[in-house]
Amino acid sequence: MTSMTDREATVAEMGRITDAFFRAVPFEEGGRPSYDDIRDLFIAGGLLVKNSGQEPEISSIDDFIGPRRRLVDSGELTQFLETESSHVDEVFGNVAHRLSTYAKSGVSSRIPFQARGVISTQFILTPDGWRVTSMAWDDERPGLTLPDRG
């Protein structure tokens, strides 16, 4: 058995962190998301940026979690699923990047929704291992569709 190269180990860790994020946000009807698990994936001061509207919504980790938790607690958001469908990884020394396509669906105010998009995740190597510095994403909409990567 051969050992992984540094790049392979980094890519594997980026995959583990990304998978952990995508496990923290979904929940079935009657369930609850594991939003608090997100904190361990990011550096202090990490950012989450939704950029699919007129203006970017730039959030700290707590600013990201709070409104989503309120939607779940109020019963407005009753189901949510988000999965990574493909990705491209880049690694250079102590910095790395993962460009992912994703699909999401759920039920909000009793209305089903679904979307696809692209999320850009930046990582840095810290004394505690790889952590996310920021995530920025955009959803498909008229005039903006996912590129064909096939």
Side-chain angles (χ1 to χ4, degrees):
M1 181 171 132
T2 61
S3 64
M4 281 197 270
T5 66
D6 287 344
R7 183 186 190 290
E8 290 169 332
T10 298
V11 167
E13 183 63 3
M14 290 166 51
R16 184 197 67 76
I17 292 168
T18 303
D19 290 346
F21 181 84
F22 283 116
R23 280 193 314 273
V25 295
F27 65 100
E28 293 294 329
E29 187 170 350
R32 300 210 29 98
S34 303
Y35 291 140
D36 290 328
D37 294 347
I38 294 170
R39 286 185 180 89
D40 294 336
L41 307 175
F42 282 77
I43 62 166
L47 296 175
L48 296 106
V49 181
K50 178 181 178 184
N51 201 17
S52 54
Q54 291 292 329
E55 301 234 354
E57 295 175 27
I58 302 169
S59 305
S60 69
I61 297 163
D62 288 335
D63 291 341
F64 174 82
I65 292 171
R68 284 158 180 79
R69 181 170 280 141
R70 284 190 290 281
L71 289 173
V72 174
D73 291 346
S74 73
E76 183 176 333
L77 184 63
T78 56
Q79 184 177 352
F80 185 76
L81 174 66
E82 187 170 32
T83 57
E84 181 183 47
S85 51
S86 68
H87 61 86
V88 176
D89 299 311
E90 293 289 336
V91 179
F92 183 81
N94 295 328
V95 297
H97 174 258
R98 186 175 186 112
L99 187 67
S100 305
T101 56
Y102 64 86
K104 62 184 175 182
S105 62
V107 178
S108 181
S109 300
R110 292 188 267 225
I111 300 169
F113 67 88
Q114 61 183 14
R116 298 184 320 159
V118 172
I119 187 165
S120 173
T121 307
Q122 289 72 47
F123 300 82
I124 62 168
L125 183 59
T126 74
D128 296 322
W130 287 95
R131 296 291 183 271
V132 175
T133 60
S134 65
M135 299 178 105
W137 64 95
D138 197 354
D139 292 339
E140 282 186 314
R141 57 187 168 276
L144 182 64
T145 57
L146 289 177
D148 181 14
R149 298 200 188 253

PDB file of all heavy atoms in Angstrom, residues 50-82:
ATOM      1  N   LYS A  50     -23.678  34.575   0.347  1.00  0.00           N
ATOM      2  CA  LYS A  50     -24.702  34.227  -0.646  1.00  0.00           C
ATOM      3  C   LYS A  50     -24.731  35.377  -1.641  1.00  0.00           C
ATOM      4  O   LYS A  50     -25.009  36.518  -1.279  1.00  0.00           O
ATOM      5  CB  LYS A  50     -26.064  34.069   0.032  1.00  0.00           C
ATOM      6  CG  LYS A  50     -27.182  33.762  -0.930  1.00  0.00           C
ATOM      7  CD  LYS A  50     -28.507  33.629  -0.205  1.00  0.00           C
ATOM      8  CE  LYS A  50     -29.632  33.361  -1.179  1.00  0.00           C
ATOM      9  NZ  LYS A  50     -30.928  33.329  -0.490  1.00  0.00           N
ATOM     10  N   ASN A  51     -24.441  35.076  -2.897  1.00  0.00           N
ATOM     11  CA  ASN A  51     -24.354  36.144  -3.894  1.00  0.00           C
ATOM     12  C   ASN A  51     -25.262  35.842  -5.077  1.00  0.00           C
ATOM     13  O   ASN A  51     -24.840  35.862  -6.226  1.00  0.00           O
ATOM     14  CB  ASN A  51     -22.899  36.341  -4.343  1.00  0.00           C
ATOM     15  CG  ASN A  51     -22.680  37.716  -4.941  1.00  0.00           C
ATOM     16  OD1 ASN A  51     -23.482  38.610  -4.748  1.00  0.00           O
ATOM     17  ND2 ASN A  51     -21.597  37.867  -5.670  1.00  0.00           N
ATOM     18  N   SER A  52     -26.529  35.574  -4.780  1.00  0.00           N
ATOM     19  CA  SER A  52     -27.478  35.266  -5.847  1.00  0.00           C
ATOM     20  C   SER A  52     -28.589  36.299  -5.952  1.00  0.00           C
ATOM     21  O   SER A  52     -29.551  36.098  -6.674  1.00  0.00           O
ATOM     22  CB  SER A  52     -28.071  33.863  -5.644  1.00  0.00           C
ATOM     23  OG  SER A  52     -28.613  33.745  -4.351  1.00  0.00           O
ATOM     24  N   GLY A  53     -28.439  37.400  -5.262  1.00  0.00           N
ATOM     25  CA  GLY A  53     -29.427  38.477  -5.337  1.00  0.00           C
ATOM     26  C   GLY A  53     -28.800  39.745  -5.878  1.00  0.00           C
ATOM     27  O   GLY A  53     -27.722  39.727  -6.463  1.00  0.00           O
ATOM     28  N   GLN A  54     -29.478  40.855  -5.653  1.00  0.00           N
ATOM     29  CA  GLN A  54     -28.975  42.153  -6.106  1.00  0.00           C
ATOM     30  C   GLN A  54     -27.689  42.544  -5.389  1.00  0.00           C
ATOM     31  O   GLN A  54     -26.815  43.164  -5.963  1.00  0.00           O
ATOM     32  CB  GLN A  54     -30.043  43.232  -5.884  1.00  0.00           C
ATOM     33  CG  GLN A  54     -31.247  43.089  -6.780  1.00  0.00           C
ATOM     34  CD  GLN A  54     -30.905  43.353  -8.240  1.00  0.00           C
ATOM     35  OE1 GLN A  54     -30.020  44.143  -8.559  1.00  0.00           O
ATOM     36  NE2 GLN A  54     -31.594  42.679  -9.141  1.00  0.00           N
ATOM     37  N   GLU A  55     -27.593  42.185  -4.093  1.00  0.00           N
ATOM     38  CA  GLU A  55     -26.420  42.526  -3.290  1.00  0.00           C
ATOM     39  C   GLU A  55     -25.939  41.272  -2.571  1.00  0.00           C
ATOM     40  O   GLU A  55     -26.753  40.448  -2.156  1.00  0.00           O
ATOM     41  CB  GLU A  55     -26.788  43.584  -2.248  1.00  0.00           C
ATOM     42  CG  GLU A  55     -27.323  44.848  -2.861  1.00  0.00           C
ATOM     43  CD  GLU A  55     -26.571  46.067  -2.402  1.00  0.00           C
ATOM     44  OE1 GLU A  55     -25.707  45.951  -1.524  1.00  0.00           O
ATOM     45  OE2 GLU A  55     -26.857  47.128  -2.956  1.00  0.00           O
ATOM     46  N   PRO A  56     -24.638  41.112  -2.377  1.00  0.00           N
ATOM     47  CA  PRO A  56     -24.145  39.955  -1.623  1.00  0.00           C
ATOM     48  C   PRO A  56     -24.635  39.990  -0.178  1.00  0.00           C
ATOM     49  O   PRO A  56     -24.730  41.059   0.423  1.00  0.00           O
ATOM     50  CB  PRO A  56     -22.621  40.116  -1.664  1.00  0.00           C
ATOM     51  CG  PRO A  56     -22.329  41.165  -2.669  1.00  0.00           C
ATOM     52  CD  PRO A  56     -23.556  41.979  -2.849  1.00  0.00           C
ATOM     53  N   GLU A  57     -24.975  38.817   0.341  1.00  0.00           N
ATOM     54  CA  GLU A  57     -25.311  38.670   1.757  1.00  0.00           C
ATOM     55  C   GLU A  57     -24.083  38.056   2.425  1.00  0.00           C
ATOM     56  O   GLU A  57     -23.823  36.867   2.268  1.00  0.00           O
ATOM     57  CB  GLU A  57     -26.516  37.754   1.935  1.00  0.00           C
ATOM     58  CG  GLU A  57     -27.798  38.295   1.348  1.00  0.00           C
ATOM     59  CD  GLU A  57     -28.945  37.302   1.450  1.00  0.00           C
ATOM     60  OE1 GLU A  57     -28.944  36.440   2.372  1.00  0.00           O
ATOM     61  OE2 GLU A  57     -29.836  37.368   0.585  1.00  0.00           O
ATOM     62  N   ILE A  58     -23.308  38.873   3.132  1.00  0.00           N
ATOM     63  CA  ILE A  58     -22.060  38.446   3.742  1.00  0.00           C
ATOM     64  C   ILE A  58     -22.309  38.211   5.223  1.00  0.00           C
ATOM     65  O   ILE A  58     -22.739  39.122   5.931  1.00  0.00           O
ATOM     66  CB  ILE A  58     -20.957  39.501   3.522  1.00  0.00           C
ATOM     67  CG1 ILE A  58     -20.781  39.731   2.006  1.00  0.00           C
ATOM     68  CG2 ILE A  58     -19.661  39.058   4.183  1.00  0.00           C
ATOM     69  CD1 ILE A  58     -19.913  40.917   1.657  1.00  0.00           C
ATOM     70  N   SER A  59     -22.053  36.984   5.676  1.00  0.00           N
ATOM     71  CA  SER A  59     -22.398  36.584   7.039  1.00  0.00           C
ATOM     72  C   SER A  59     -21.221  35.975   7.772  1.00  0.00           C
ATOM     73  O   SER A  59     -20.445  35.220   7.185  1.00  0.00           O
ATOM     74  CB  SER A  59     -23.517  35.523   7.011  1.00  0.00           C
ATOM     75  OG  SER A  59     -24.638  35.978   6.303  1.00  0.00           O
ATOM     76  N   SER A  60     -21.143  36.280   9.053  1.00  0.00           N
ATOM     77  CA  SER A  60     -20.281  35.506   9.939  1.00  0.00           C
ATOM     78  C   SER A  60     -20.945  34.145  10.120  1.00  0.00           C
ATOM     79  O   SER A  60     -22.090  33.937   9.686  1.00  0.00           O
ATOM     80  CB  SER A  60     -20.139  36.205  11.294  1.00  0.00           C
ATOM     81  OG  SER A  60     -21.384  36.157  11.988  1.00  0.00           O
ATOM     82  N   ILE A  61     -20.285  33.256  10.783  1.00  0.00           N
ATOM     83  CA  ILE A  61     -20.869  31.935  11.012  1.00  0.00           C
ATOM     84  C   ILE A  61     -22.165  32.064  11.805  1.00  0.00           C
ATOM     85  O   ILE A  61     -23.190  31.487  11.438  1.00  0.00           O
ATOM     86  CB  ILE A  61     -19.855  31.009  11.717  1.00  0.00           C
ATOM     87  CG1 ILE A  61     -18.642  30.803  10.803  1.00  0.00           C
ATOM     88  CG2 ILE A  61     -20.492  29.674  12.083  1.00  0.00           C
ATOM     89  CD1 ILE A  61     -17.423  30.269  11.495  1.00  0.00           C
ATOM     90  N   ASP A  62     -22.141  32.852  12.893  1.00  0.00           N
ATOM     91  CA  ASP A  62     -23.359  33.027  13.697  1.00  0.00           C
ATOM     92  C   ASP A  62     -24.450  33.740  12.921  1.00  0.00           C
ATOM     93  O   ASP A  62     -25.634  33.416  13.068  1.00  0.00           O
ATOM     94  CB  ASP A  62     -23.041  33.776  14.993  1.00  0.00           C
ATOM     95  CG  ASP A  62     -22.268  32.917  15.978  1.00  0.00           C
ATOM     96  OD1 ASP A  62     -22.368  31.671  15.908  1.00  0.00           O
ATOM     97  OD2 ASP A  62     -21.556  33.487  16.826  1.00  0.00           O
ATOM     98  N   ASP A  63     -24.077  34.713  12.087  1.00  0.00           N
ATOM     99  CA  ASP A  63     -25.070  35.411  11.265  1.00  0.00           C
ATOM    100  C   ASP A  63     -25.668  34.502  10.205  1.00  0.00           C
ATOM    101  O   ASP A  63     -26.795  34.716   9.761  1.00  0.00           O
ATOM    102  CB  ASP A  63     -24.448  36.633  10.584  1.00  0.00           C
ATOM    103  CG  ASP A  63     -24.104  37.746  11.553  1.00  0.00           C
ATOM    104  OD1 ASP A  63     -24.646  37.766  12.682  1.00  0.00           O
ATOM    105  OD2 ASP A  63     -23.263  38.596  11.192  1.00  0.00           O
ATOM    106  N   PHE A  64     -24.939  33.494   9.789  1.00  0.00           N
ATOM    107  CA  PHE A  64     -25.449  32.500   8.843  1.00  0.00           C
ATOM    108  C   PHE A  64     -26.409  31.545   9.543  1.00  0.00           C
ATOM    109  O   PHE A  64     -27.497  31.257   9.056  1.00  0.00           O
ATOM    110  CB  PHE A  64     -24.279  31.724   8.225  1.00  0.00           C
ATOM    111  CG  PHE A  64     -24.686  30.580   7.347  1.00  0.00           C
ATOM    112  CD1 PHE A  64     -25.051  30.796   6.031  1.00  0.00           C
ATOM    113  CD2 PHE A  64     -24.685  29.277   7.825  1.00  0.00           C
ATOM    114  CE1 PHE A  64     -25.413  29.738   5.204  1.00  0.00           C
ATOM    115  CE2 PHE A  64     -25.040  28.215   7.011  1.00  0.00           C
ATOM    116  CZ  PHE A  64     -25.410  28.443   5.695  1.00  0.00           C
ATOM    117  N   ILE A  65     -26.001  31.062  10.715  1.00  0.00           N
ATOM    118  CA  ILE A  65     -26.789  30.064  11.435  1.00  0.00           C
ATOM    119  C   ILE A  65     -28.086  30.656  11.991  1.00  0.00           C
ATOM    120  O   ILE A  65     -29.155  30.040  11.875  1.00  0.00           O
ATOM    121  CB  ILE A  65     -25.954  29.439  12.577  1.00  0.00           C
ATOM    122  CG1 ILE A  65     -24.815  28.600  11.993  1.00  0.00           C
ATOM    123  CG2 ILE A  65     -26.829  28.596  13.507  1.00  0.00           C
ATOM    124  CD1 ILE A  65     -23.804  28.111  13.031  1.00  0.00           C
ATOM    125  N   GLY A  66     -28.017  31.840  12.597  1.00  0.00           N
ATOM    126  CA  GLY A  66     -29.162  32.420  13.301  1.00  0.00           C
ATOM    127  C   GLY A  66     -30.453  32.478  12.505  1.00  0.00           C
ATOM    128  O   GLY A  66     -31.472  31.926  12.930  1.00  0.00           O
ATOM    129  N   PRO A  67     -30.463  33.133  11.343  1.00  0.00           N
ATOM    130  CA  PRO A  67     -31.713  33.221  10.581  1.00  0.00           C
ATOM    131  C   PRO A  67     -32.232  31.863  10.113  1.00  0.00           C
ATOM    132  O   PRO A  67     -33.437  31.628  10.088  1.00  0.00           O
ATOM    133  CB  PRO A  67     -31.336  34.086   9.374  1.00  0.00           C
ATOM    134  CG  PRO A  67     -30.107  34.817   9.772  1.00  0.00           C
ATOM    135  CD  PRO A  67     -29.392  33.933  10.757  1.00  0.00           C
ATOM    136  N   ARG A  68     -31.325  30.960   9.783  1.00  0.00           N
ATOM    137  CA  ARG A  68     -31.756  29.634   9.341  1.00  0.00           C
ATOM    138  C   ARG A  68     -32.369  28.857  10.500  1.00  0.00           C
ATOM    139  O   ARG A  68     -33.380  28.185  10.350  1.00  0.00           O
ATOM    140  CB  ARG A  68     -30.576  28.891   8.719  1.00  0.00           C
ATOM    141  CG  ARG A  68     -30.263  29.414   7.331  1.00  0.00           C
ATOM    142  CD  ARG A  68     -28.853  29.134   6.858  1.00  0.00           C
ATOM    143  NE  ARG A  68     -28.645  29.659   5.517  1.00  0.00           N
ATOM    144  CZ  ARG A  68     -28.398  30.946   5.243  1.00  0.00           C
ATOM    145  NH1 ARG A  68     -28.295  31.820   6.220  1.00  0.00           N
ATOM    146  NH2 ARG A  68     -28.244  31.346   3.990  1.00  0.00           N
ATOM    147  N   ARG A  69     -31.763  28.970  11.661  1.00  0.00           N
ATOM    148  CA  ARG A  69     -32.318  28.306  12.839  1.00  0.00           C
ATOM    149  C   ARG A  69     -33.709  28.871  13.166  1.00  0.00           C
ATOM    150  O   ARG A  69     -34.620  28.120  13.502  1.00  0.00           O
ATOM    151  CB  ARG A  69     -31.375  28.466  14.032  1.00  0.00           C
ATOM    152  CG  ARG A  69     -31.912  27.770  15.275  1.00  0.00           C
ATOM    153  CD  ARG A  69     -30.901  27.704  16.389  1.00  0.00           C
ATOM    154  NE  ARG A  69     -29.983  26.617  16.111  1.00  0.00           N
ATOM    155  CZ  ARG A  69     -28.684  26.642  16.339  1.00  0.00           C
ATOM    156  NH1 ARG A  69     -28.109  27.706  16.857  1.00  0.00           N
ATOM    157  NH2 ARG A  69     -27.938  25.604  16.058  1.00  0.00           N
ATOM    158  N   ARG A  70     -33.871  30.182  13.035  1.00  0.00           N
ATOM    159  CA  ARG A  70     -35.183  30.789  13.302  1.00  0.00           C
ATOM    160  C   ARG A  70     -36.235  30.278  12.314  1.00  0.00           C
ATOM    161  O   ARG A  70     -37.388  30.048  12.692  1.00  0.00           O
ATOM    162  CB  ARG A  70     -35.087  32.305  13.277  1.00  0.00           C
ATOM    163  CG  ARG A  70     -34.436  32.869  14.539  1.00  0.00           C
ATOM    164  CD  ARG A  70     -34.554  34.379  14.642  1.00  0.00           C
ATOM    165  NE  ARG A  70     -33.738  35.110  13.682  1.00  0.00           N
ATOM    166  CZ  ARG A  70     -32.430  35.327  13.813  1.00  0.00           C
ATOM    167  NH1 ARG A  70     -31.766  34.857  14.852  1.00  0.00           N
ATOM    168  NH2 ARG A  70     -31.776  36.010  12.890  1.00  0.00           N
ATOM    169  N   LEU A  71     -35.856  30.099  11.050  1.00  0.00           N
ATOM    170  CA  LEU A  71     -36.800  29.559  10.056  1.00  0.00           C
ATOM    171  C   LEU A  71     -37.237  28.143  10.430  1.00  0.00           C
ATOM    172  O   LEU A  71     -38.410  27.787  10.295  1.00  0.00           O
ATOM    173  CB  LEU A  71     -36.169  29.555   8.659  1.00  0.00           C
ATOM    174  CG  LEU A  71     -35.978  30.903   7.985  1.00  0.00           C
ATOM    175  CD1 LEU A  71     -35.185  30.744   6.692  1.00  0.00           C
ATOM    176  CD2 LEU A  71     -37.316  31.578   7.725  1.00  0.00           C
ATOM    177  N   VAL A  72     -36.294  27.343  10.896  1.00  0.00           N
ATOM    178  CA  VAL A  72     -36.619  25.977  11.311  1.00  0.00           C
ATOM    179  C   VAL A  72     -37.475  26.002  12.582  1.00  0.00           C
ATOM    180  O   VAL A  72     -38.511  25.337  12.658  1.00  0.00           O
ATOM    181  CB  VAL A  72     -35.333  25.144  11.539  1.00  0.00           C
ATOM    182  CG1 VAL A  72     -35.666  23.773  12.123  1.00  0.00           C
ATOM    183  CG2 VAL A  72     -34.557  24.997  10.229  1.00  0.00           C
ATOM    184  N   ASP A  73     -37.058  26.784  13.569  1.00  0.00           N
ATOM    185  CA  ASP A  73     -37.782  26.858  14.840  1.00  0.00           C
ATOM    186  C   ASP A  73     -39.212  27.357  14.660  1.00  0.00           C
ATOM    187  O   ASP A  73     -40.124  26.907  15.355  1.00  0.00           O
ATOM    188  CB  ASP A  73     -37.053  27.763  15.841  1.00  0.00           C
ATOM    189  CG  ASP A  73     -35.750  27.168  16.338  1.00  0.00           C
ATOM    190  OD1 ASP A  73     -35.516  25.950  16.122  1.00  0.00           O
ATOM    191  OD2 ASP A  73     -34.951  27.926  16.936  1.00  0.00           O
ATOM    192  N   SER A  74     -39.410  28.275  13.724  1.00  0.00           N
ATOM    193  CA  SER A  74     -40.755  28.830  13.499  1.00  0.00           C
ATOM    194  C   SER A  74     -41.653  27.889  12.717  1.00  0.00           C
ATOM    195  O   SER A  74     -42.862  28.100  12.637  1.00  0.00           O
ATOM    196  CB  SER A  74     -40.650  30.159  12.746  1.00  0.00           C
ATOM    197  OG  SER A  74     -40.292  29.932  11.383  1.00  0.00           O
ATOM    198  N   GLY A  75     -41.062  26.858  12.109  1.00  0.00           N
ATOM    199  CA  GLY A  75     -41.842  25.938  11.285  1.00  0.00           C
ATOM    200  C   GLY A  75     -41.979  26.408   9.849  1.00  0.00           C
ATOM    201  O   GLY A  75     -42.646  25.755   9.042  1.00  0.00           O
ATOM    202  N   GLU A  76     -41.340  27.522   9.511  1.00  0.00           N
ATOM    203  CA  GLU A  76     -41.405  27.997   8.128  1.00  0.00           C
ATOM    204  C   GLU A  76     -40.607  27.084   7.193  1.00  0.00           C
ATOM    205  O   GLU A  76     -41.087  26.699   6.134  1.00  0.00           O
ATOM    206  CB  GLU A  76     -40.887  29.427   8.030  1.00  0.00           C
ATOM    207  CG  GLU A  76     -41.009  29.990   6.623  1.00  0.00           C
ATOM    208  CD  GLU A  76     -40.584  31.448   6.537  1.00  0.00           C
ATOM    209  OE1 GLU A  76     -40.670  32.171   7.540  1.00  0.00           O
ATOM    210  OE2 GLU A  76     -40.155  31.848   5.439  1.00  0.00           O
ATOM    211  N   LEU A  77     -39.384  26.735   7.596  1.00  0.00           N
ATOM    212  CA  LEU A  77     -38.561  25.804   6.823  1.00  0.00           C
ATOM    213  C   LEU A  77     -38.708  24.430   7.468  1.00  0.00           C
ATOM    214  O   LEU A  77     -38.286  24.223   8.602  1.00  0.00           O
ATOM    215  CB  LEU A  77     -37.098  26.247   6.822  1.00  0.00           C
ATOM    216  CG  LEU A  77     -36.135  25.408   5.971  1.00  0.00           C
ATOM    217  CD1 LEU A  77     -36.510  25.462   4.493  1.00  0.00           C
ATOM    218  CD2 LEU A  77     -34.704  25.890   6.171  1.00  0.00           C
ATOM    219  N   THR A  78     -39.348  23.518   6.760  1.00  0.00           N
ATOM    220  CA  THR A  78     -39.670  22.214   7.353  1.00  0.00           C
ATOM    221  C   THR A  78     -38.841  21.070   6.788  1.00  0.00           C
ATOM    222  O   THR A  78     -38.904  19.954   7.314  1.00  0.00           O
ATOM    223  CB  THR A  78     -41.165  21.889   7.165  1.00  0.00           C
ATOM    224  OG1 THR A  78     -41.487  21.948   5.765  1.00  0.00           O
ATOM    225  CG2 THR A  78     -42.036  22.870   7.939  1.00  0.00           C
ATOM    226  N   GLN A  79     -38.088  21.331   5.748  1.00  0.00           N
ATOM    227  CA  GLN A  79     -37.267  20.281   5.144  1.00  0.00           C
ATOM    228  C   GLN A  79     -36.221  20.948   4.268  1.00  0.00           C
ATOM    229  O   GLN A  79     -36.505  21.949   3.595  1.00  0.00           O
ATOM    230  CB  GLN A  79     -38.151  19.369   4.299  1.00  0.00           C
ATOM    231  CG  GLN A  79     -37.470  18.197   3.693  1.00  0.00           C
ATOM    232  CD  GLN A  79     -38.475  17.330   2.925  1.00  0.00           C
ATOM    233  OE1 GLN A  79     -39.669  17.524   2.973  1.00  0.00           O
ATOM    234  NE2 GLN A  79     -37.950  16.378   2.194  1.00  0.00           N
ATOM    235  N   PHE A  80     -34.987  20.412   4.277  1.00  0.00           N
ATOM    236  CA  PHE A  80     -33.936  20.964   3.435  1.00  0.00           C
ATOM    237  C   PHE A  80     -32.922  19.879   3.138  1.00  0.00           C
ATOM    238  O   PHE A  80     -32.519  19.133   4.023  1.00  0.00           O
ATOM    239  CB  PHE A  80     -33.238  22.147   4.122  1.00  0.00           C
ATOM    240  CG  PHE A  80     -32.237  22.830   3.248  1.00  0.00           C
ATOM    241  CD1 PHE A  80     -32.634  23.687   2.237  1.00  0.00           C
ATOM    242  CD2 PHE A  80     -30.878  22.621   3.433  1.00  0.00           C
ATOM    243  CE1 PHE A  80     -31.704  24.319   1.417  1.00  0.00           C
ATOM    244  CE2 PHE A  80     -29.942  23.238   2.624  1.00  0.00           C
ATOM    245  CZ  PHE A  80     -30.364  24.094   1.613  1.00  0.00           C
ATOM    246  N   LEU A  81     -32.508  19.796   1.883  1.00  0.00           N
ATOM    247  CA  LEU A  81     -31.478  18.854   1.448  1.00  0.00           C
ATOM    248  C   LEU A  81     -30.535  19.611   0.528  1.00  0.00           C
ATOM    249  O   LEU A  81     -30.972  20.374  -0.334  1.00  0.00           O
ATOM    250  CB  LEU A  81     -32.104  17.669   0.699  1.00  0.00           C
ATOM    251  CG  LEU A  81     -31.128  16.684   0.062  1.00  0.00           C
ATOM    252  CD1 LEU A  81     -30.327  15.956   1.141  1.00  0.00           C
ATOM    253  CD2 LEU A  81     -31.867  15.689  -0.804  1.00  0.00           C
ATOM    254  N   GLU A  82     -29.232  19.411   0.729  1.00  0.00           N
ATOM    255  CA  GLU A  82     -28.235  20.010  -0.155  1.00  0.00           C
ATOM    256  C   GLU A  82     -27.116  19.005  -0.351  1.00  0.00           C
ATOM    257  O   GLU A  82     -26.623  18.428   0.619  1.00  0.00           O
ATOM    258  CB  GLU A  82     -27.685  21.307   0.450  1.00  0.00           C
ATOM    259  CG  GLU A  82     -26.776  22.053  -0.486  1.00  0.00           C
ATOM    260  CD  GLU A  82     -26.437  23.444   0.038  1.00  0.00           C
ATOM    261  OE1 GLU A  82     -26.363  23.647   1.254  1.00  0.00           O
ATOM    262  OE2 GLU A  82     -26.242  24.324  -0.815  1.00  0.00           O
TER     263      GLU A  82
END
